[in-house]
Amino acid sequence: MIRTMAGVVLTGHGGLDKLEYRTDIPVPSPGPGEVLIRVAAAGINNTDINTRIGWYSKAVTEDTETGGAQGFESVDNTDASWSGTPLSFPRIQGADACGYIKAVGDGVDPSRIGQRVLVQSIQPLREHPPFSCITFGSECDGAFAQFTLAKSEFAHPVHCGWTNAELASMPCAYSTAENMLQRASVGAERVLITGASGGVGSAAVQLCKRRGAYVIAVSSRSKADEVLDLGADEVIDRNADLVTSLGKMSVDVVIDLVAGPQWPSMLEVLRRGGRYATAGAIAGPMAELDVRTLYLKDLSLFGSTYQADEVFPNLVSYIERGEIRPALSATYPLKEIARAQQDFLAKRHIGKLVLLPPEVPE
């Protein structure tokens, strides 16, 4: 077993210069209840960039893209993680891990060695229920390295013919989307999805169709055909006025990853008794709410981070039964993480970008 590994460490909140590729990182050892995973592929997510730039700090009011490459001057390090508690550095990020179990700690069945697994991105803190959780690659080291550790219960075996890169496109984006749909009780109804060409948005399109919904996707005009191919029933340009395009009280559910200036119109297009769920705000976290719209229409608003225990196993079952498919756009060597994140921020792709660590000699 090798003693050191290649990986990317985040040295502090800030720009791309805070990502340091190293080849001398000690390979971790699994403790009780843990497994050591050889990472085969690691997806890129908004949460990786948001954590790097400190976007979760309440001192930041701009959209993600504004500080995506250079960071923000206004970050307060004491609340710059998604959990609101300071991060410890250096940190190996990476919320998406597909890999193979290479070793197990005490209390873990040795027969698990060799399993191909997906690591659950949002992990509940059993000692602090409910709604207490951590994100893999934020409050603990994650997938941007040749090896990573995970609690055995959060390393889910998966059996399918997908490539490692395709599987690595799933954990964070698809579990986030599935959780939003579960929280909002989405069924066979009219659903509006913003940011539909991104990782979570494209996942939500597929997962809504799986539930029998009629999907209205919001995306750039240049990506409309690809979003339709994912299963959307119609696509609205992201610069269009939602009320003019759809009409007031025309949809049952809004699944939102964007927020920003368009947010009030999302409540206008909801029917009476409609539901709104969000797990992101890439167009900006500050939004204006007319409280009269909320209570006079009997709307329900759902924030969505913590995931119930069944969400990730359900996702794995959808993969194994062929009910969803990956939306993999491109792969990059791990050492090119800065270029990959720049491409991610440019938003010219559909679905997910995935990093591939160097192969490990057997």
Side-chain angles (χ1 to χ4, degrees), residues 8-12 18 20 22 25 87-93 138 140-141:
V8 175
V9 296
L10 179 67
T11 59
K18 296 295 185 180
E20 181 181 326
R22 291 171 45 188
I25 303 170
L87 286 189
S88 58
F89 298 104
R91 169 67 71 222
I92 297 173
Q93 292 187 279
S138 178
C140 65
D141 284 342

Side-chain angles (χ1 to χ4, degrees), residues 264-275:
S265 64
M266 298 179 201
L267 302 193
E268 291 294 336
V269 299
L270 278 173
R271 290 178 175 149
R272 297 189 186 279
R275 293 100 68 204

Side-chain angles (χ1 to χ4, degrees), residues 7-355:
V8 175
V9 296
L10 179 67
T11 59
H13 295 296
L16 292 166
D17 60 303
K18 296 295 185 180
L19 296 170
E20 181 181 326
Y21 182 77
R22 291 171 45 188
T23 58
D24 61 348
I25 303 170
V27 175
S29 298
E34 292 182 329
V35 295
L36 176 69
I37 298 168
R38 175 179 65 80
V39 179
I44 295 176
N45 294 280
N46 273 307
T47 190
D48 305 315
I49 295 173
N50 289 341
T51 295
R52 170 173 59 77
I53 64 181
W55 180 83
Y56 295 112
S57 171
K58 293 297 195 299
V60 177
T61 59
E62 297 96 331
D63 60 278
T64 299
E65 186 178 351
T66 297
Q70 303 300 325
F72 294 104
E73 293 183 0
S74 57
V75 169
D76 179 355
N77 288 342
T78 63
D79 72 341
S81 71
W82 73 270
S83 64
T85 56
L87 286 189
S88 58
F89 298 104
R91 169 67 71 222
I92 297 173
Q93 292 187 279
D96 282 340
C98 172
Y100 298 82
I101 294 178
K102 299 297 290 184
V104 300
D106 290 344
V108 180
D109 188 342
S111 68
R112 295 213 64 188
I113 294 173
Q115 287 181 345
R116 183 160 72 154
V117 296
L118 288 177
V119 178
Q120 184 172 323
S121 302
I122 301 296
Q123 302 177 358
L125 295 174
R126 303 297 187 193
E127 63 273 25
H128 299 293
F131 297 108
S132 294
C133 55
I134 66 170
T135 294
F136 189 63
S138 178
E139 285 64 44
C140 65
D141 284 342
F144 292 164
Q146 288 177 298
F147 292 93
T148 190
L149 294 177
K151 290 184 177 180
S152 179
E153 68 170 307
F154 301 134
H156 297 261
V158 59
H159 305 282
C160 70
W162 295 9
T163 67
N164 294 323
E166 288 173 333
L167 279 173
S169 71
M170 290 282 139
C172 185
Y174 279 72
S175 67
T176 296
E178 176 69 7
N179 195 53
M180 295 170 75
L181 306 192
Q182 179 170 308
R183 196 71 64 84
S185 301
V186 172
E189 51 197 333
R190 289 173 62 86
V191 181
L192 177 70
I193 300 173
T194 66
S197 64
V200 180
S202 60
V205 170
Q206 291 191 54
L207 292 166
C208 278
K209 291 305 296 181
R210 183 192 163 275
R211 290 169 176 248
Y214 182 92
V215 173
I216 306 165
V218 180
S219 178
S220 63
R221 185 174 289 108
S222 63
K223 299 175 182 177
D225 288 343
E226 289 94 336
V227 175
L228 289 168
D229 286 343
L230 289 172
D233 295 285
E234 54 182 289
V235 177
I236 295 176
D237 187 80
R238 66 180 182 181
N239 296 315
D241 181 273
L242 292 179
V243 176
T244 300
S245 299
L246 295 174
K248 292 185 177 182
M249 296 195 291
S250 56
V251 301
D252 301 291
V253 183
V254 172
I255 299 298
D256 180 32
L257 291 312
V258 174
Q262 200 177 41
W263 194 81
S265 64
M266 298 179 201
L267 302 193
E268 291 294 336
V269 299
L270 278 173
R271 290 178 175 149
R272 297 189 186 279
R275 293 100 68 204
Y276 165 95
T278 182
I282 59 174
M286 310 309 292
E288 184 178 273
L289 170 63
D290 186 332
V291 176
R292 293 166 296 189
T293 303
L294 175 62
Y295 76 80
L296 290 175
K297 292 177 67 176
D298 288 288
L299 302 179
S300 297
L301 308 185
F302 298 95
S304 179
T305 293
Y306 174 86
Q307 297 177 5
D309 284 345
E310 66 270 17
V311 169
F312 205 89
N314 284 349
L315 174 61
V316 172
S317 74
Y318 305 157
I319 293 170
E320 293 182 335
R321 294 198 299 264
E323 295 177 356
I324 55 176
R325 59 188 174 92
L328 176 63
S329 177
T331 62
Y332 302 76
L334 178 60
K335 65 182 178 181
E336 295 183 17
I337 186 172
R339 179 169 71 92
Q341 289 198 359
Q342 287 174 322
D343 288 351
F344 184 95
L345 288 163
K347 303 298 182 188
R348 290 188 290 266
H349 63 286
I350 299 287
K352 293 295 296 283
L353 305 181
V354 171
L355 297 167

